[in-house]
Structure formats: C-alpha cells, structure tokens
Amino acid sequence: MIDDIMNMLKDQVGGDLMEKFGLDSNQKDEAINITKETITEKISGEAAGGGLSGIMNLFSSNDNDAEGNSMLENITSSLSSNFSSKLGVDSEKSGGISSMIMEKVTSLFGDKLGGSFDIGDLMGMIGGGNSGGIGGMLGKLGGLFGK
C-alpha cells in the first residue's frame, strides 16, 4: 500500500517538485524513492524503539500532538538531509521539498488510515505485514496498550 501512496504522492506533487524546486524528471522520481525509504526506515525504527504513540498520531487524520510533531520533525529532517546528499540540492531547497512532501504524505496516510487504527495497519502499509514480522508483533503490542 505504501507504493500506492507514493504513486499518489508523485501524481500530486511531481509537477511542483519540478516547477517550484527545479528538479528534473529523474530527480523527481528519486525524491519519491528517497521519501519511501526514509519513511519506512523511520517508522520501523521508532516502532521498534517504542515510539508507537508518535507514529500513530502523525499518520492518523487527527491533529498532531507533541509526539506526532516530534516524529514529523524527525522524518522531515532526515528527508532534508537525504535530499541534499542524494539529489545534490542545497539545504534551503531540500528543506522546502521535505516540508511539502511530508505535508502531503501525512494527509495521504491519514486519508487511508482515518483517525483510529492499530500499528499493524500502518506497518502493513509500509511492508511490515499485519500478521508477521515487526508489524504483527507491534500490532499485538499496541493492542495491549490500547493503541
């Protein structure tokens, strides 16, 4: 499902990435790939480290709380750094790209997941699976804590 979201993201922001930030078609595609890799890595790392409530809040359709905002800042900062190093854009441009992309990504995830979901749903979306691996484990753990 993350591939579906990334395709929607490319459709919705691809033109802006090229128009507003001067990316070429290859850089636009690479920006989407970097976004997918970074989000997957950050969500998995946070979930494994016990950051369930920040993840759940950030990707729900609800307003962010302090933990959700912290998670957003963490992912946005990593994206910005990755865009600078992998796309060869300056920090101002990479920051703008990161902010624009994360605003859209959180909206797309929120639209798909709604306001109430369990961590297994999110992990399934990013490829962790609902019944096995880290997604299943964290889904069960989240259920124990009412998340």
Side-chain angles (χ1 to χ4, degrees):
M1 176 140 353
I2 193 167
D3 290 329
D4 294 339
I5 289 177
M6 292 298 117
N7 286 331
M8 287 188 281
L9 178 67
K10 188 189 312 188
D11 290 344
Q12 293 181 21
V13 302
D16 286 342
L17 289 174
M18 295 190 321
E19 204 173 292
K20 291 181 181 177
F21 299 104
L23 300 184
D24 63 31
S25 181
N26 290 335
Q27 287 175 310
K28 172 196 72 173
D29 292 344
E30 184 61 15
I32 301 301
N33 290 334
I34 291 167
T35 300
K36 177 183 173 182
E37 292 167 7
T38 303
I39 288 173
T40 301
E41 176 185 300
K42 288 294 180 183
I43 290 174
S44 298
E46 281 291 316
L52 295 178
S53 66
I55 295 168
M56 301 289 285
N57 180 251
L58 176 62
F59 290 106
S60 75
S61 59
N62 302 324
D63 290 340
N64 285 351
D65 60 14
E67 290 179 81
N69 282 330
S70 176
M71 184 75 191
L72 177 62
E73 289 171 16
N74 184 325
I75 294 172
T76 303
S77 175
S78 291
L79 273 177
S80 182
S81 176
N82 287 339
F83 291 149
S84 289
S85 65
K86 295 178 181 179
L87 294 179
V89 297
D90 64 40
S91 61
E92 184 177 333
K93 191 178 283 190
S94 67
I97 294 168
S98 300
S99 295
M100 182 182 73
I101 283 180
M102 282 308 296
E103 181 179 332
K104 184 54 75 176
V105 164
T106 55
S107 173
L108 290 169
F109 270 97
D111 291 347
K112 287 278 188 193
L113 293 168
S116 179
F117 59 93
D118 75 26
I119 192 67
D121 295 333
L122 179 61
M123 297 306 290
M125 287 180 73
I126 65 164
N130 279 333
S131 59
I134 194 169
M137 177 186 72
L138 292 170
K140 291 174 185 159
L141 182 62
L144 289 174
F145 295 103
K147 300 289 179 194

